[in-house]
Amino acid sequence: MKRRLQIAIDGTAGVGKTTIGQMLANMLACPYLDTGAMYRAVALLTLRTGTNPSNIAELERLSQNLNFEARDVTPQEAVDGRQYTVLVDGEDVSQAIRDPQVESIVSQIAAISEVRVALVQKQREMAERAGTIIMIGRDIASVVLPNAELKIFLDASPEVRAMRRNRQAGSGEEQARQNLEQRDKLDSQRAVSPLVVAPGAIVIDTDNLNPQQVLERIKAEIAKILD
Ligand code: DC
Protein backbone atom coordinates (compact mmCIF):
# COMPACT_ATOMS: atom_id res chain seq x y z
CA MET A 1 0.00 0.00 0.00
CA LYS A 2 1.21 3.52 -0.78
CA ARG A 3 2.36 5.28 2.35
CA ARG A 4 0.24 8.19 3.58
CA LEU A 5 2.05 11.51 3.50
CA GLN A 6 0.31 14.50 5.01
CA ILE A 7 2.29 17.72 4.61
CA ALA A 8 1.21 20.71 6.67
CA ILE A 9 2.44 24.10 5.51
CA ASP A 10 1.81 27.05 7.79
CA GLY A 11 3.29 30.51 7.74
CA THR A 12 2.91 34.23 7.68
CA ALA A 13 0.80 36.13 5.15
CA GLY A 14 2.21 36.48 1.65
CA VAL A 15 5.18 34.20 2.31
CA GLY A 16 4.50 32.01 -0.75
CA LYS A 17 2.70 29.08 0.87
CA THR A 18 0.39 28.63 -2.11
CA THR A 19 3.21 28.67 -4.66
CA ILE A 20 5.27 26.15 -2.71
CA GLY A 21 2.20 24.02 -1.93
CA GLN A 22 1.29 23.81 -5.58
CA MET A 23 4.82 22.96 -6.68
CA LEU A 24 4.90 20.17 -4.10
CA ALA A 25 1.46 18.87 -5.07
CA ASN A 26 2.56 18.74 -8.72
CA MET A 27 5.70 16.93 -7.75
CA LEU A 28 3.90 14.36 -5.61
CA ALA A 29 0.80 14.23 -7.86
CA CYS A 30 -1.48 14.63 -4.86
CA PRO A 31 -4.29 17.03 -3.90
CA TYR A 32 -3.60 20.25 -2.13
CA LEU A 33 -5.89 22.45 -0.10
CA ASP A 34 -5.38 26.11 0.71
CA THR A 35 -7.56 26.45 3.81
CA GLY A 36 -7.40 30.26 3.67
CA ALA A 37 -9.76 30.02 0.69
CA MET A 38 -12.36 28.37 2.96
CA TYR A 39 -12.24 31.24 5.48
CA ARG A 40 -12.47 33.63 2.56
CA ALA A 41 -15.49 31.74 1.21
CA VAL A 42 -17.31 32.11 4.54
CA ALA A 43 -16.42 35.82 4.57
CA LEU A 44 -17.85 36.15 1.04
CA LEU A 45 -21.10 34.41 2.05
CA THR A 46 -21.30 36.67 5.11
CA LEU A 47 -21.22 39.72 2.84
CA ARG A 48 -23.55 38.29 0.23
CA THR A 49 -26.19 37.24 2.76
CA GLY A 50 -25.90 40.55 4.60
CA THR A 51 -25.05 38.67 7.79
CA ASN A 52 -23.72 40.75 10.65
CA PRO A 53 -20.17 39.46 11.38
CA SER A 54 -21.08 39.44 15.08
CA ASN A 55 -24.00 37.03 14.49
CA ILE A 56 -22.07 33.94 15.60
CA ALA A 57 -24.95 31.47 15.23
CA GLU A 58 -25.51 32.48 11.62
CA LEU A 59 -21.78 32.38 10.81
CA GLU A 60 -21.60 28.92 12.33
CA ARG A 61 -24.50 27.82 10.13
CA LEU A 62 -22.86 29.31 7.00
CA SER A 63 -19.62 27.47 7.83
CA GLN A 64 -21.29 24.14 8.52
CA ASN A 65 -23.26 24.36 5.25
CA LEU A 66 -20.32 25.60 3.17
CA ASN A 67 -20.26 23.66 -0.09
CA PHE A 68 -16.63 24.22 -1.04
CA GLU A 69 -14.53 22.76 -3.80
CA ALA A 70 -11.04 23.66 -5.02
CA ARG A 71 -9.59 22.35 -8.25
CA ASP A 72 -6.78 22.99 -10.74
CA VAL A 73 -7.21 25.86 -13.18
CA THR A 74 -8.13 25.22 -16.80
CA PRO A 75 -6.00 26.99 -19.45
CA GLN A 76 -8.88 29.47 -20.05
CA GLU A 77 -9.10 30.30 -16.33
CA ALA A 78 -5.35 30.72 -15.95
CA VAL A 79 -5.40 34.02 -17.87
CA ASP A 80 -6.57 35.97 -14.81
CA GLY A 81 -3.51 34.84 -12.83
CA ARG A 82 -5.38 32.68 -10.31
CA GLN A 83 -3.45 29.81 -8.74
CA TYR A 84 -6.45 27.49 -8.39
CA THR A 85 -10.20 27.60 -8.92
CA VAL A 86 -12.60 27.77 -6.00
CA LEU A 87 -16.24 26.78 -6.32
CA VAL A 88 -18.90 27.56 -3.72
CA ASP A 89 -22.23 25.88 -4.45
CA GLY A 90 -20.80 25.21 -7.90
CA GLU A 91 -20.16 28.92 -8.59
CA ASP A 92 -16.66 30.03 -9.50
CA VAL A 93 -15.72 32.52 -6.74
CA SER A 94 -11.94 32.48 -7.30
CA GLN A 95 -11.85 36.23 -7.91
CA ALA A 96 -14.62 37.18 -5.50
CA ILE A 97 -12.82 35.68 -2.48
CA ARG A 98 -9.84 37.98 -3.21
CA ASP A 99 -12.04 41.07 -3.16
CA PRO A 100 -10.86 43.88 -0.81
CA GLN A 101 -14.22 43.72 0.98
CA VAL A 102 -13.67 40.03 1.75
CA GLU A 103 -10.08 40.78 2.75
CA SER A 104 -11.29 43.44 5.19
CA ILE A 105 -13.45 41.02 7.25
CA VAL A 106 -11.79 37.63 6.79
CA SER A 107 -9.45 37.88 9.80
CA GLN A 108 -12.43 38.74 12.01
CA ILE A 109 -14.34 35.72 10.65
CA ALA A 110 -11.32 33.44 11.06
CA ALA A 111 -11.07 34.40 14.75
CA ILE A 112 -14.50 32.93 15.56
CA SER A 113 -14.18 29.55 17.23
CA GLU A 114 -17.51 28.20 15.88
CA VAL A 115 -16.41 28.97 12.31
CA ARG A 116 -13.07 27.26 12.87
CA VAL A 117 -14.59 24.13 14.37
CA ALA A 118 -16.89 23.71 11.35
CA LEU A 119 -14.14 24.34 8.78
CA VAL A 120 -11.52 22.22 10.57
CA GLN A 121 -13.93 19.30 10.45
CA LYS A 122 -14.30 19.70 6.68
CA GLN A 123 -10.53 20.01 6.28
CA ARG A 124 -9.93 16.80 8.22
CA GLU A 125 -12.56 14.99 6.15
CA MET A 126 -10.81 16.12 2.94
CA ALA A 127 -7.46 14.92 4.30
CA GLU A 128 -9.00 11.60 5.29
CA ARG A 129 -10.41 11.10 1.79
CA ALA A 130 -7.18 12.14 0.07
CA GLY A 131 -4.69 10.10 2.12
CA THR A 132 -1.70 12.02 0.83
CA ILE A 133 -2.35 15.77 0.81
CA ILE A 134 -0.61 19.13 1.05
CA MET A 135 -2.58 21.43 3.31
CA ILE A 136 -1.83 25.11 3.69
CA GLY A 137 -2.91 27.56 6.36
CA ARG A 138 -2.08 28.96 9.78
CA ASP A 139 -3.13 26.13 12.14
CA ILE A 140 -2.60 23.02 10.02
CA ALA A 141 0.27 21.51 12.01
CA SER A 142 -0.98 22.79 15.37
CA VAL A 143 -4.69 21.92 15.10
CA VAL A 144 -5.97 20.43 11.84
CA LEU A 145 -3.41 17.69 11.18
CA PRO A 146 -1.27 17.40 14.32
CA ASN A 147 -0.12 13.95 13.18
CA ALA A 148 1.05 15.14 9.75
CA GLU A 149 4.23 13.34 8.68
CA LEU A 150 5.85 16.63 7.71
CA LYS A 151 5.24 20.07 9.21
CA ILE A 152 6.73 23.10 7.53
CA PHE A 153 6.59 26.68 8.77
CA LEU A 154 7.50 29.24 6.11
CA ASP A 155 8.60 32.70 7.09
CA ALA A 156 10.19 35.78 5.56
CA SER A 157 10.68 39.33 6.75
CA PRO A 158 7.76 41.74 6.13
CA GLU A 159 10.03 43.76 3.81
CA VAL A 160 10.81 40.79 1.56
CA ARG A 161 7.18 39.63 1.51
CA ALA A 162 5.99 43.14 0.62
CA MET A 163 8.55 43.33 -2.18
CA ARG A 164 7.37 40.00 -3.63
CA ARG A 165 3.72 40.98 -3.30
CA ASN A 166 4.40 44.31 -4.92
CA ARG A 167 5.98 42.55 -7.88
CA GLN A 168 2.82 40.44 -8.19
CA ALA A 169 0.17 43.09 -7.65
CA GLY A 170 2.00 46.29 -8.54
CA SER A 171 0.61 48.08 -5.47
CA GLY A 172 2.60 50.35 -3.14
CA GLU A 173 5.30 48.43 -1.30
CA GLU A 174 4.97 50.34 1.96
CA GLN A 175 1.20 49.81 1.93
CA ALA A 176 1.71 46.10 1.19
CA ARG A 177 4.14 45.77 4.12
CA GLN A 178 1.69 47.43 6.49
CA ASN A 179 -1.17 45.17 5.34
CA LEU A 180 0.92 42.03 5.79
CA GLU A 181 2.09 43.06 9.25
CA GLN A 182 -1.47 43.88 10.28
CA ARG A 183 -2.69 40.46 9.08
CA ASP A 184 0.16 38.64 10.86
CA LYS A 185 -0.73 40.49 14.03
CA LEU A 186 -4.40 39.52 13.82
CA ASP A 187 -3.56 35.89 12.97
CA SER A 188 -0.92 35.54 15.70
CA GLN A 189 -2.69 37.31 18.51
CA ARG A 190 -6.17 35.82 18.26
CA ALA A 191 -7.35 33.63 21.13
CA VAL A 192 -8.38 30.63 19.01
CA SER A 193 -5.81 28.66 16.99
CA PRO A 194 -3.33 31.51 16.56
CA LEU A 195 -0.53 31.27 14.03
CA VAL A 196 2.27 29.42 15.87
CA VAL A 197 5.25 27.27 15.01
CA ALA A 198 3.94 23.82 15.99
CA PRO A 199 6.18 21.39 17.88
CA GLY A 200 8.18 19.39 15.37
CA ALA A 201 7.72 21.93 12.57
CA ILE A 202 10.69 22.76 10.36
CA VAL A 203 11.05 26.51 10.02
CA ILE A 204 12.29 27.73 6.65
CA ASP A 205 13.27 31.37 6.38
CA THR A 206 12.74 32.16 2.71
CA ASP A 207 14.25 35.66 2.71
CA ASN A 208 17.19 34.55 0.59
CA LEU A 209 15.60 31.57 -1.15
CA ASN A 210 13.66 31.36 -4.40
CA PRO A 211 10.69 28.97 -4.67
CA GLN A 212 12.82 26.26 -6.29
CA GLN A 213 15.31 26.41 -3.42
CA VAL A 214 12.50 26.19 -0.85
CA LEU A 215 11.16 23.17 -2.72
CA GLU A 216 14.60 21.54 -2.61
CA ARG A 217 14.72 21.99 1.16
CA ILE A 218 11.31 20.38 1.54
CA LYS A 219 12.22 17.57 -0.86
CA ALA A 220 15.21 16.77 1.35
CA GLU A 221 12.88 16.51 4.37
CA ILE A 222 10.49 14.24 2.44
CA ALA A 223 13.39 12.01 1.46
CA LYS A 224 14.30 11.61 5.14
CA ILE A 225 10.75 10.52 5.95
CA LEU A 226 10.52 8.06 3.08
CA ASP A 227 13.94 6.64 3.79
O1 DC B 1 -3.99 32.66 3.64
P1 DC B 1 -5.13 33.64 3.36
O2 DC B 1 -4.68 35.06 3.27
O3 DC B 1 -5.97 33.26 2.19
O4 DC B 1 -6.07 33.54 4.66
C1 DC B 1 -7.22 34.28 4.80
C2 DC B 1 -7.50 34.50 6.29
O5 DC B 1 -7.83 33.26 6.92
C3 DC B 1 -6.36 35.09 7.11
O6 DC B 1 -6.91 36.02 8.03
C4 DC B 1 -5.79 33.93 7.87
C5 DC B 1 -6.98 33.03 8.04
N1 DC B 1 -6.65 31.62 8.07
C6 DC B 1 -6.71 30.98 9.27
O7 DC B 1 -7.01 31.61 10.28
N2 DC B 1 -6.47 29.65 9.34
C7 DC B 1 -6.15 28.96 8.25
N3 DC B 1 -5.90 27.65 8.37
C8 DC B 1 -6.05 29.60 7.00
C9 DC B 1 -6.29 30.96 6.94
Side-chain angles (χ1 to χ4, degrees):
M1 203 174 79
K2 222 175 127 191
R3 198 162 154 196
R4 180 193 90 163
L5 182 60
Q6 289 182 340
I7 304 182
I9 305 184
D10 295 295
T12 44
V15 73
K17 298 184 291 293
T18 307
T19 303
I20 299 299
Q22 280 198 323
M23 288 167 83
L24 260 180
N26 285 339
M27 188 186 93
L28 298 173
C30 72
Y32 112 112
L33 175 67
D34 179 358
T35 57
M38 297 176 81
Y39 290 93
R40 287 171 180 270
V42 173
L44 177 67
L45 293 177
T46 304
L47 292 169
R48 283 190 175 174
T49 54
T51 304
N52 187 326
S54 58
N55 184 344
I56 306 290
E58 190 52 23
L59 289 181
E60 182 177 24
R61 202 187 62 79
L62 285 177
S63 309
Q64 286 169 341
N65 294 338
L66 179 70
N67 177 10
F68 177 96
E69 198 190 325
R71 61 158 171 78
D72 289 343
V73 288
T74 63
Q76 291 93 322
E77 291 167 346
V79 290
D80 63 13
R82 67 177 70 176
Q83 290 177 296
Y84 50 86
T85 290
V86 172
L87 305 174
V88 169
D89 293 325
E91 179 196 339
D92 182 352
V93 295
S94 313
Q95 292 302 324
I97 60 167
R98 307 278 153 201
D99 203 78
Q101 264 187 301
V102 167
E103 196 111 314
S104 70
I105 65 161
V106 67
S107 295
Q108 190 186 343
I109 304 285
I112 298 168
S113 144
E114 288 79 355
V115 169
R116 302 198 72 86
V117 168
L119 296 189
V120 166
Q121 188 183 334
K122 287 178 192 293
Q123 291 155 13
R124 287 183 179 149
E125 284 166 5
M126 287 188 216
E128 191 61 36
R129 276 197 301 275
T132 288
I133 192 167
I134 319 284
M135 204 178 282
I136 290 155
R138 305 291 192 287
D139 62 338
I140 308 305
S142 57
V143 176
V144 185
L145 304 175
N147 297 319
E149 282 74 16
L150 183 58
K151 300 172 180 177
I152 302 286
F153 189 97
L154 295 181
D155 202 4
S157 65
E159 288 74 22
V160 168
R161 287 182 282 142
M163 202 173 65
R164 290 178 188 157
R165 179 133 298 189
N166 194 42
R167 266 205 304 265
Q168 269 177 4
S171 57
E173 203 164 302
E174 175 54 22
Q175 182 64 45
R177 189 186 59 76
Q178 283 176 20
N179 286 346
L180 291 168
E181 282 190 308
Q182 172 65 11
R183 287 176 58 196
D184 288 348
K185 198 169 150 200
L186 289 169
D187 293 338
S188 311
Q189 294 183 354
R190 68 176 174 228
V192 217
S193 307
L195 172 69
V196 285
V197 179
I202 293 154
V203 180
I204 304 180
D205 180 340
T206 73
D207 262 8
N208 297 309
L209 301 177
N210 65 33
Q212 195 55 44
Q213 290 169 318
V214 177
L215 191 69
E216 291 304 322
R217 282 283 310 276
I218 299 177
K219 268 167 77 174
E221 297 299 333
I222 295 175
K224 284 188 212 163
I225 293 173
L226 298 180
D227 227 8

